Amino acid sequence: MRGVVFDGSRTEVVDDLEIREPVPGEVLVAVAAAGLCHSDLSVVDGTIPFPSPVVLGHEGAGVVEAVGAGVGHVAPGDHVALSTLANCGACAQCDRGRPTMCRKAIGMPGRPFSRRGESLYQFASNSAFAERTLVKAVQAVKIPADLPFTSAALIGCGVLTGVGAVLNRAKVDRGDTVVVIGTGGIGLNVIQGARIAGALTIVAIDANPAKEAVARRFGATHFLTSASPDGVREILPHGADHAFECVGRTELIRTAIDLLDRHGQAVLLGVPAATAEASFLVSSMYLDKSILGCRYGSSRPQRDIALYAELYREGRLLLDELVTETYPVEDFAKAADDAHHGRVARGVLVF
């Protein structure tokens, strides 16, 4: 079968991947569509360290082909969106409703794939850039059959991360003020999450002026091409209740903190290099300001994916508008180049 493999130095679309059958507690999914996220590119450029060779992809949707023993919530033929959380469901963090903090869901890559007798790693417990993938049962969330796969694929990472950061982590409330730095796939979902939450003012910031129209479509009330504090304070004289950094640059992390009002919180979603360090004025924090890390939108996928699917069907959550371009999997190189240079909000690979 076809898939996108990174061998540690180069990325290649191959057609001779193999995958084992599901064991108890697993689901085999025929992937129909997979979003290309910057996290995939970050594995290739070394920003996210990951063992290789690895089958890339982590934002996908498709049809259940087979299930292992003990799996009852999905069956062959069901349409599913896939999450990256292979959480155990039994530890203290899972019991508290914090699957993103489950230690079984972090840093334990499996090897369900093989190629020419060699085992290949699975990226983010998902590897959606393959015609078929194996996930734990908890990662497969049933979705309505009328939800287009190209849109459903985006729920599993971009929507869970961006909208989830607003609703689950920051808990943006009605009338709050929000600044979003970066209007890529994650930033646009932060914007629409803030809109859904009832934020009064949503300031989108992106160096590319061409992104203004889509930012406003998703809910931005203002758009700036610079993260200059002076420009933001013309709109929000006292600063923002919430500032989301969605780019992954340390200087913008500092900017997000500087843009906060009293009792404001900066939420970090962009991914800089693993060794990157950021600085800020300690004295600025004593007015009850907070810096919040956020993994995967602090999501509970079985609950949240179903919720977002319904919000989409009601017209309140935008998904189709996120898909700028679709690419046959064979055109992965072009899709990656478009994503790297910001030509698309989200490119989607289709099989």
Side-chain angles (χ1 to χ4, degrees), residues 181 227 229 243 245 249-260 266 268 277-285 291:
I181 303 174
E245 201 283 338
R249 288 168 47 186
T250 55
E251 68 271 23
L252 293 178
I253 291 172
R254 168 62 184 270
T255 298
I257 297 167
D258 290 343
L259 293 177
L260 296 176
L268 311 185
E277 297 183 1
S279 64
F280 58 92
L281 288 174
V282 176
S283 61
S284 71
M285 302 302 295
I291 302 171

Side-chain angles (χ1 to χ4, degrees), residues 5-12 52-54:
V5 175
F6 175 61
D7 65 6
S9 59
R10 63 188 294 267
T11 305
E12 181 182 8
S52 61
V54 56

Side-chain angles (χ1 to χ4, degrees), residues 209-291:
K211 293 188 175 183
E212 178 174 2
V214 68
R216 289 187 181 274
R217 175 72 180 89
F218 275 71
T221 60
H222 299 76
F223 185 88
L224 300 173
T225 55
S226 169
S228 164
D230 291 340
V232 173
R233 292 188 186 278
E234 288 183 8
I235 303 166
L236 301 172
H238 301 296
D241 296 316
H242 314 273
F244 294 83
E245 201 283 338
C246 306
V247 180
R249 288 168 47 186
T250 55
E251 68 271 23
L252 293 178
I253 291 172
R254 168 62 184 270
T255 298
I257 297 167
D258 290 343
L259 293 177
L260 296 176
D261 193 1
R262 298 182 179 192
H263 206 273
Q265 48 189 20
V267 184
L268 311 185
L269 296 176
V271 182
T275 57
E277 297 183 1
S279 64
F280 58 92
L281 288 174
V282 176
S283 61
S284 71
M285 302 302 295
Y286 292 119
L287 292 173
D288 283 4
K289 297 180 184 181
S290 304
I291 302 171

Side-chain angles (χ1 to χ4, degrees), residues 170-224:
K171 300 186 185 301
V172 172
D173 201 358
R174 292 161 300 190
D176 283 357
T177 57
V178 174
V179 171
V180 183
I181 303 174
T183 61
I186 299 300
L188 289 175
N189 278 297
V190 171
I191 291 170
Q192 72 171 332
R195 170 179 50 80
I196 290 168
L200 181 64
T201 304
I202 305 170
V203 182
I205 302 173
D206 199 291
N208 184 355
K211 293 188 175 183
E212 178 174 2
V214 68
R216 289 187 181 274
R217 175 72 180 89
F218 275 71
T221 60
H222 299 76
F223 185 88
L224 300 173

Side-chain angles (χ1 to χ4, degrees), residues 62-82:
V63 179
V64 175
E65 281 203 349
V67 300
V71 177
H73 73 293
V74 293
D78 284 346
H79 291 202
V80 293
L82 304 178

Side-chain angles (χ1 to χ4, degrees), residues 12-223:
E12 181 182 8
V13 180
V14 304
D15 61 6
D16 55 355
L17 278 180
E18 296 181 0
I19 193 165
R20 60 173 175 77
E21 294 297 314
V23 300
E26 291 183 338
V27 178
L28 178 66
V29 177
V31 179
L36 178 54
C37 173
H38 276 276
S39 293
D40 300 300
L41 303 182
S42 293
V43 172
V44 175
D45 68 21
T47 302
I48 296 178
F50 204 88
S52 61
V54 56
V55 180
L56 295 174
H58 65 285
E59 188 181 67
V63 179
V64 175
E65 281 203 349
V67 300
V71 177
H73 73 293
V74 293
D78 284 346
H79 291 202
V80 293
L82 304 178
S83 89
T84 68
L85 287 182
N87 58 297
C88 70
C91 68
Q93 296 293 348
C94 287
D95 191 52
R96 293 187 183 107
R98 302 173 186 163
T100 57
M101 296 295 104
C102 175
R103 285 172 170 78
K104 295 289 186 181
I106 302 174
M108 301 181 69
R111 299 189 190 186
F113 299 96
S114 62
R115 183 182 182 227
R116 299 173 182 173
E118 179 184 18
S119 295
L120 283 75
Y121 287 99
Q122 185 173 37
F123 179 53
S125 302
N126 189 304
S127 289
F129 293 170
E131 288 187 273
R132 293 174 182 80
T133 192
L134 268 176
V135 296
K136 290 182 66 172
V138 71
Q139 296 177 255
V141 183
K142 188 174 179 178
I143 57 173
D146 60 355
L147 186 58
F149 285 123
T150 50
S151 295
L154 306 185
I155 299 178
C157 178
V159 176
L160 282 177
T161 299
V163 178
V166 174
L167 303 182
N168 301 328
R169 186 67 169 127
K171 300 186 185 301
V172 172
D173 201 358
R174 292 161 300 190
D176 283 357
T177 57
V178 174
V179 171
V180 183
I181 303 174
T183 61
I186 299 300
L188 289 175
N189 278 297
V190 171
I191 291 170
Q192 72 171 332
R195 170 179 50 80
I196 290 168
L200 181 64
T201 304
I202 305 170
V203 182
I205 302 173
D206 199 291
N208 184 355
K211 293 188 175 183
E212 178 174 2
V214 68
R216 289 187 181 274
R217 175 72 180 89
F218 275 71
T221 60
H222 299 76
F223 185 88

